């Protein structure tokens, strides 16, 4: 079963700063708490990471997965999709950045994720994992971009 998550928040940073933080894949470890390792596999002609492998550890489990990044709608949107994963069958998502009309130094950040695990998990474990993902996606993001 595919689980979907969509959360958004207004942060006190312009869209360029928000985009730059998410595009800086190799430094996710400085703000994503469950991330243990990032390995860059490929970059585009602009130097942006287009493929990366991650190792995460949360709730007593470890997972490794590789993502392909799509910057075709930058700087308002960064997308990714799963290439391979050990316990993850799907991990497709995006960050969208929309500048507020009345204040260019504020951005509405929307994080979307579709995830499917290769192993079944009880509902309460899924909800706890979703909470951790949402926390990293917005709380940790906001702390870093506003810091």
């Amino acid at each position: 079963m595919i689980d979907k998550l969509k959360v958004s928040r207004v942060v006190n940073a312009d869209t360029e700063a928000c985009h730059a933080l998410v595009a800086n894949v190799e430094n996710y470890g400085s703000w994503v708490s469950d991330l243990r390792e990032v390995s860059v596999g490929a970059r585009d002609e602009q130097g942006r990471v287009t493929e990366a492998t991650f190792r995460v550890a949360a709730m007593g489990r470890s997972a490794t997965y590789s993502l392909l990044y799509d910057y075709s709608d930058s700087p308002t949107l960064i997308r990714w999709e799963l290439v391979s994963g050990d316990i993850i069958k799907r991990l497709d998502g995006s960050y969208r950045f929309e500048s507020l009309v009345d204040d260019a130094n504020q951005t509405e950040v929307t994080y979307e994720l579709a995830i499917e695990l290769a192993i079944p998990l009880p509902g309460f474990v899924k909800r706890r994992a979703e909470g951790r993902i949402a926390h990293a996606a917005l709380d940790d993001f906001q702390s870093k971009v506003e810091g």
Side-chain angles (χ1 to χ4, degrees):
M1 181 176 160
I2 297 171
D3 290 302
K4 294 186 178 183
L5 173 69
K6 181 177 181 179
V7 290
S8 63
R9 171 175 305 161
V10 173
V11 298
N12 294 313
D14 61 25
T15 56
E16 291 79 18
C18 293
H19 179 274
L21 181 58
V22 174
N24 191 358
V25 174
E26 57 267 49
N27 286 321
Y28 280 5
S30 70
W31 61 277
V32 178
S33 57
D34 291 334
L35 184 62
R36 299 296 175 250
E37 185 179 333
V38 178
S39 174
V40 175
R43 295 179 185 274
D44 64 13
E45 61 282 347
Q46 296 177 23
R48 300 175 297 194
V49 173
T50 56
E51 186 172 355
T53 300
F54 302 87
R55 187 173 64 81
V56 295
M59 296 182 294
R61 294 218 42 119
S62 179
T64 301
Y65 56 89
S66 295
L67 302 177
L68 283 178
Y69 284 84
D70 176 3
Y71 302 94
S72 58
D73 294 315
S74 286
T76 58
L77 182 70
I78 295 176
R79 290 187 187 97
W80 59 88
E81 63 181 32
L82 183 71
V83 176
S84 64
D86 54 3
I87 63 168
I88 301 169
K89 292 169 61 175
R90 182 173 178 194
L91 189 66
D92 304 338
S94 66
Y95 269 101
R96 177 176 303 277
F97 314 107
E98 297 181 44
S99 182
L100 297 188
V101 175
D102 56 336
D103 188 348
N105 290 318
Q106 287 193 316
T107 303
E108 181 175 14
V109 179
T110 302
Y111 176 84
E112 292 189 62
L113 187 68
I115 186 169
E116 182 178 7
L117 298 177
I119 56 172
L121 289 178
F124 76 93
V125 175
K126 282 185 182 181
R127 286 187 298 280
R128 194 166 147 204
E130 287 172 358
R132 290 184 70 91
I133 291 168
H135 175 80
L138 289 180
D139 295 342
D140 293 348
F141 172 89
Q142 183 174 18
S143 293
K144 183 71 174 181
V145 80
E146 290 180 354

